[in-house]
Amino acid sequence: MSLEFIPTRVFYEPSALDYPLGKTLVEKFCQMGISASPTSSHNRITGIPGNTATTQYREAKRTLVIGVRRSGTFQSCKPSAHYQLPLVTSCPGMCEYCYLATTLGKKPYVRIYVNLEEILGIASKLILERLPEITQFEGAATSDPVPVERYSGALKQAIEFFGRETNGRFRFVTKFTEVDGLLEAKHEGHTRFRFSLNCSEVVKKYEHGTPSPEERIIASGKVLKAGYPLGFIIAPIFRFEGWQDAYRRLLERTSEELVKRAPSGWSSEQLTLEFISHRFTSRAKTNILGVFPNSSLPMEEAERKFKYGQFGYGKYIYQPEELLEMKEFFLKEAKGYFPLAQVEYFI
């Protein structure tokens, strides 16, 4: 199934035309017959249609904004990395549980930044400041950069930049599978390419507009064969009737594909695994139900434990005994299918 992202409408900051990529993209979309309109700021877009939160959300996901990232600072990204690397914001996928529903509001339009050399220049300075330590950057903290790579080329440029940086490392995660253009990139083993996986029951129900688990697993095999350090995030993990069998099938199929595609000398000790159980905040629940009023996401506060977060708001997580059962299950299965993999965390 093709999930190629072709925007319905494009907005651009006039200053984006001062950069070769901005000029090329606006011309390209005009040639494709896609409306391209100037906007004063990539942070504030008006003109996305829709009379309800649901239609506004869907139309935002079909909207591409071409902008210039002006801030000279990067957000921190602890504990997974030292800094975010802001290449893209948002993604065209429509996952019901997505935390970006809270952070980006109800109109999470997709943004590309065209001043890549300037962004990578800031990364270079940050690497120098932390010498002789290695500095880690996360490229997907508020986005999935793969669906727009066909237009921006930002991931390949970033991957090759970090390939040249002795003390810089890059990591990103994706649900999407258009990876062929990245397989020949000169990564030098400095980029960890991670895939977000879930069992087919969850993907079909909640991850709208994204590739199937099978397609993601096949793409991960290609990435492994290209010599990238590989990782998987299994998230969010849900409890439902038959959840253990469903997730066991997912891990078994993933293991099978990696064994088939692994380059000579590869072992699972080069693999990282991250496990995240489903959680939600009151604000996220309100936003989610505004966009997906018929959602069947399990968000009954009475069934969960309330946990205060580090940023002053709390979240609803599974009960302690449920989390313990989930953790023990995933650690045991990971050990069976990926005996030497590094489990970074289960939360």
Side-chain angles (χ1 to χ4, degrees), residues 214-236:
E214 177 67 14
E215 290 168 306
R216 298 181 211 178
I217 290 166
I218 289 169
S220 76
K222 293 181 183 178
V223 165
L224 180 63
K225 195 175 179 184
Y228 280 94
L230 183 66
F232 294 106
I233 297 182
I234 314 296

Side-chain angles (χ1 to χ4, degrees), residues 71-83:
S71 172
T73 59
F74 289 173
Q75 297 285 323
S76 98
C77 196
K78 292 174 181 175
S80 61
H82 297 101
Y83 298 103

Side-chain angles (χ1 to χ4, degrees), residues 82-156:
H82 297 101
Y83 298 103
Q84 297 179 19
L85 187 75
L87 302 175
V88 178
T89 297
S90 193
C91 94
M94 292 185 274
C95 302
E96 293 187 20
Y97 54 73
C98 184
Y99 67 87
L100 295 181
T102 302
T103 56
L104 296 181
K106 292 176 184 174
K107 288 191 180 181
Y109 50 84
V110 185
R111 278 178 265 184
I112 286 176
Y113 305 113
V114 296
N115 54 327
L116 292 173
E117 287 81 4
E118 293 167 14
I119 292 168
L120 295 174
I122 296 167
S124 190
K125 285 179 190 164
L126 292 170
I127 292 168
L128 284 172
E129 284 172 12
R130 295 191 75 257
L131 287 176
E133 301 294 319
I134 284 176
T135 303
Q136 182 88 244
F137 294 81
E138 169 62 62
T142 58
S143 69
D144 187 322
V146 169
V148 294
E149 177 65 10
R150 58 172 48 241
Y151 304 123
S152 72
L155 268 181
K156 186 173 184 185

